[in-house]
Amino acid sequence: GDSVTQMEGPVTLSEEAFLTINCTYTATGYPSLFWYVQYPGEGLQLLLKATKADDKGSNKGFEATYRKETTSFHLEKGSVQVSDSAVYFCALKYAGGYSTLTFGKGTMLLVSP
Amino acid sequence: EAQVTQNPRYLITVTGKKLTVTCSQNMNHEYMSWYRQDPGLGLRQIYYSMNVEVTDKGDVPEGYKVSRKEKRNFPLILESPSPNQTSLYFCASSQATGEGHNSPLHFGNGTRLTVT
């Protein structure tokens, strides 16, 4: 079945450091890939997405590139802020008959001043 | 404002006492879903609904029921809660797959349930 694997957290960084959160997937077809972010006490919200190989999703300084050859969708940001502290979920949506997302287990990011 | 509203935000109950967590969305979405979030396990889907009167089991449906009598509402029912259902629950909605294959899920702010 389809699955998403993320690096375990927490990831602890100082403000302005470079961020990478690894995400790899297995899928039987050609899914779209997503990153969702969950701030403390809130539900998840879409951060960025990519719908096909070599697409780059970007939002709020975050980027991720859909790499079909390595089945990866790593999240990056050049300079993190304290306000980026949150849990980040990688997910795929397979082009099946319904809109079910398969999530990774989430990676907590803690950014200190 | 487009939103998914869950109630209550926090709930403490005892084993065996039936409860309902409500979920309502104002975006006219066809698709709605319930997830539970547990440490180390991430998000797991409980039930989903493609449209009114259509519901299907997700990955962890045991001990839960849902109904979809109206498009906007998708309540989660625990007929006889047990301590292993202590968790953080999220309702979510999105457009249907047809034209919305890439449409994002919109999440509520969660319901933290404790069963003693």
Side-chain angles (χ1 to χ4, degrees):
Chain A
D2 303 328
S3 65
V4 176
T5 302
Q6 293 180 232
M7 61 189 291
E8 286 196 28
V11 173
T12 304
L13 295 173
S14 298
E15 205 163 27
E16 298 183 3
F18 184 85
L19 168 71
T20 300
I21 298 179
N22 291 336
C23 170
T24 58
Y25 68 92
T26 58
T28 53
Y30 302 98
S32 293
L33 300 174
F34 304 80
W35 277 101
Y36 280 79
V37 59
Q38 183 183 29
Y39 298 106
E42 298 182 11
L44 283 71
Q45 55 186 275
L46 180 67
L47 179 60
L48 54 85
K49 68 181 182 184
T51 59
K52 61 184 186 295
D54 300 325
D55 269 4
K56 178 187 282 188
S58 60
N59 186 25
K60 299 181 181 180
F62 291 88
E63 293 183 341
T65 300
Y66 191 146
R67 301 284 188 201
K68 186 180 172 186
E69 63 277 11
T70 55
T71 61
S72 65
F73 193 54
H74 305 321
L75 182 69
E76 296 181 335
K77 187 176 185 182
S79 177
V80 293
Q81 305 301 311
V82 173
S83 57
D84 293 327
S85 297
V87 181
Y88 292 82
F89 290 89
C90 186
L92 66 83
K93 182 189 285 187
Y94 182 51
Y98 46 80
S99 306
T100 291
L101 273 167
T102 299
F103 286 95
K105 292 184 178 180
T107 302
M108 179 178 287
L109 170 65
L110 299 171
V111 181
S112 56
Chain B
E1 180 188 351
Q3 59 185 1
V4 177
T5 303
Q6 293 178 231
N7 280 296
R9 288 294 306 273
Y10 302 92
L11 180 58
I12 301 173
T13 190
V14 296
T15 300
K17 186 176 182 182
K18 181 180 178 180
L19 65 90
T20 299
V21 183
T22 63
C23 174
S24 180
Q25 51 93 5
N26 62 1
M27 295 167 280
N28 202 37
H29 285 163
E30 289 84 5
Y31 178 87
M32 297 186 74
S33 180
W34 277 102
Y35 294 86
R36 59 178 290 173
Q37 184 178 17
D38 301 289
L41 297 176
L43 282 154
R44 294 179 292 169
Q45 190 177 45
I46 302 170
Y47 269 94
Y48 64 93
S49 169
M50 292 298 295
N51 214 324
V52 176
E53 301 292 0
V54 179
T55 62
D56 282 292
K57 296 178 180 179
D59 299 319
V60 288
E62 293 78 19
Y64 304 94
K65 286 175 58 177
V66 293
S67 70
R68 189 86 183 276
K69 293 183 170 51
E70 307 163 279
K71 198 171 188 178
R72 63 182 293 124
N73 295 323
F74 191 47
L76 179 69
I77 304 155
L78 285 71
E79 295 271 4
S80 182
S82 62
N84 65 11
Q85 292 178 298
T86 292
S87 186
L88 179 58
Y89 291 86
F90 288 101
C91 180
S93 72
S94 73
Q95 289 180 310
T97 299
E99 68 282 6
H101 168 54
N102 299 317
S103 59
L105 276 177
H106 296 260
F107 283 81
N109 282 335
T111 296
R112 185 166 293 281
L113 172 66
T114 302
V115 184
T116 61

